[in-house]
Each structure stands twice: as C-alpha cells, then as structure tokens.
Amino acid sequence: MLSRLQLFRPYDRNPNALRYRRHPAFCLTKLRGIIAEHSEAEELMLQRHARGRKSLVEIGVAEGASAFALRRVADVSAVLYLVDPYLPGRIPGLNLTKLCAQRNVNGCTNATVRFLEDFSHNASKTWRTAIDFLFIDGDHSYEACMRDWQEWSPFVEASGIVAFHDARTFQGGWPREDWGPVMVVNQLFRERVNSDWTIIDEVDSLVVAQRI
C-alpha cells in the first residue's frame, strides 16, 4: 500500500509550477503527481477525524487526493462513497479526471470504494445509508454548499463528522468572505448557536463540525 501519493499542492507552491500541466493527461502519463487542492495541514486533520470511520462520503472528488487520504485511515471494513458527476470531456463517455481519481484512489486497498457518478443533489434523493464522516467539497456556490448540508447532514449519525473545505478565511489563505462554503459555515455555526452541531476543529480553510 502506498503511504503517500506524489502531490502537487497549488496553494503551497508557486502557481506557475502547474500552469501548463494541470490537464489530467499529465497525471495519467505520470508527468506529474496528483493535484491536491488541500494543504498538508488540512489533509492531516481530515485523516485525524476520519480514522476508524466506517461509512464515509466525499462530495467533490476531482483527481482523488483527499479520497486517497481518507481511504488510508478508514476502518478496514469501511465503505468510502465518492460523489462526483465527472461530466464527459471532449471525447464522449471519457473523463480523464475520473480515470486519474480511480487510479490514484486504488493506490490503497484499505476499505471499499464506491464511485457515485452523479451530482450530489441527485445522489441524495435515493440515499438511505447512515454516515459517520461527510466531507463537503463540491460546488462552492452558497446555494449548492447549503443544499449539500441540508440534504446530506441528516444522514450523519450522533458523534459523526461533517468537514467543509474552503470554508474559512485565514492569514495568507485563498478563501474570501464571499465564498459559498465560508458563508455557509458562518451562518450555520458562527452567527447563531446550533444545539445539534458544534465546530470541533479548524485549520487553514478546513472546518470540522460534529453532531452532538
């Protein structure tokens, strides 16, 4: 089992380093590593709260960097559901980003992985499974992020976790106050008391809340 993927972190490096190599074909041909849109501190925090969990859902998968990190620490009997529409590219029926994600996530054999190739608001309509770890990192508009929370959080069990990415401003960071996830987290947890949920951890742009 791979201990780590070779990662490119656009937020940690000079963005020009990936200017001409962001296309997933460069990943598939091993001319670059997988692009991780999260910082190393965020990855470590995700893993800390996902460790030992048995029913995990990630909304917004991209090339699978965070999915790989989650799979490494999930319970051996866990199921990791990866929700992403992976819309067709220029070649009908083919999405190179999806191929990257499948290959990268399969670099680890812990737990079971199930790709749900659909928009999160469609996948939620038929969802019936309890969740103990939910990672919201899909459409970053306010409306979509709030909808992901409203439609998926009811399935999170007591003491379960919901993690929001790009949901917090910090010195030297990339999110802005008008970003959808920032506005959603502020509205849900900072501007009023939520008797059912509380923020338990934060680092860089990542915010982790737990059902009380």
Side-chain angles (χ1 to χ4, degrees):
M1 182 177 71
L2 296 177
S3 61
R4 287 187 67 84
L5 292 174
Q6 180 189 1
L7 301 179
F8 280 102
R9 300 183 188 275
Y11 297 128
D12 296 345
R13 299 166 177 256
N14 183 337
N16 289 329
L18 277 175
R19 184 177 179 183
Y20 301 108
R21 288 189 290 166
R22 292 192 67 94
H23 194 281
F26 287 95
C27 178
L28 288 171
T29 54
K30 299 183 179 181
L31 294 177
R32 66 159 171 81
I34 182 174
I35 296 177
E37 301 291 352
H38 56 269
S39 69
E40 185 173 2
E42 290 172 340
E43 179 174 309
L44 292 174
M45 196 169 86
L46 282 172
Q47 290 185 313
R48 184 164 65 252
H49 292 288
R51 189 173 303 278
R53 299 287 180 173
K54 296 185 177 181
S55 180
L56 304 87
V57 174
E58 178 176 10
I59 298 173
V61 182
E63 292 187 0
S66 53
F68 175 84
L70 295 175
R71 188 177 189 183
R72 285 182 57 211
V73 299
D75 186 87
V76 67
S77 64
V79 180
L80 172 60
Y81 301 91
L82 302 178
V83 184
D84 198 301
Y86 286 120
L87 300 176
R90 294 183 177 180
I91 302 176
L94 180 64
N95 185 295
L96 297 183
T97 302
K98 179 184 73 174
L99 295 179
C100 287
Q102 291 174 333
R103 188 185 70 182
N104 294 326
V105 174
N106 287 335
C108 171
T109 57
N110 188 43
T112 299
V113 171
R114 295 179 183 172
F115 280 85
L116 305 181
E117 292 183 43
D118 205 343
F119 292 100
S120 59
H121 61 270
N122 288 333
S124 67
K125 294 176 182 178
T126 57
W127 188 265
R128 299 293 182 268
T129 304
I131 299 169
D132 56 11
F133 184 93
L134 173 64
F135 184 28
I136 297 178
D137 192 22
D139 187 331
H140 276 28
S141 69
Y142 169 83
E143 293 77 14
C145 186
M146 181 61 79
R147 182 170 57 189
D148 283 341
W149 162 261
Q150 292 172 339
E151 295 181 353
W152 288 89
S153 65
F155 295 102
V156 178
E157 301 176 313
S159 299
I161 293 294
V162 177
F164 295 84
H165 194 232
D166 296 327
R168 173 178 179 266
T169 60
F170 63 100
Q171 186 174 4
W174 53 93
R176 301 190 305 267
E177 289 287 350
D178 62 351
W179 280 28
V182 175
M183 296 170 66
V184 168
V185 165
N186 287 344
Q187 181 179 334
L188 291 174
F189 308 113
R190 303 192 197 280
E191 296 172 1
R192 63 170 184 258
V193 176
N194 191 320
S195 60
D196 297 322
W197 294 84
T198 186
I199 292 176
I200 61 169
D201 220 346
E202 303 180 62
V203 69
D204 293 347
S205 79
L206 187 67
V207 179
V208 173
Q210 186 172 38
R211 183 185 286 277
I212 301 173

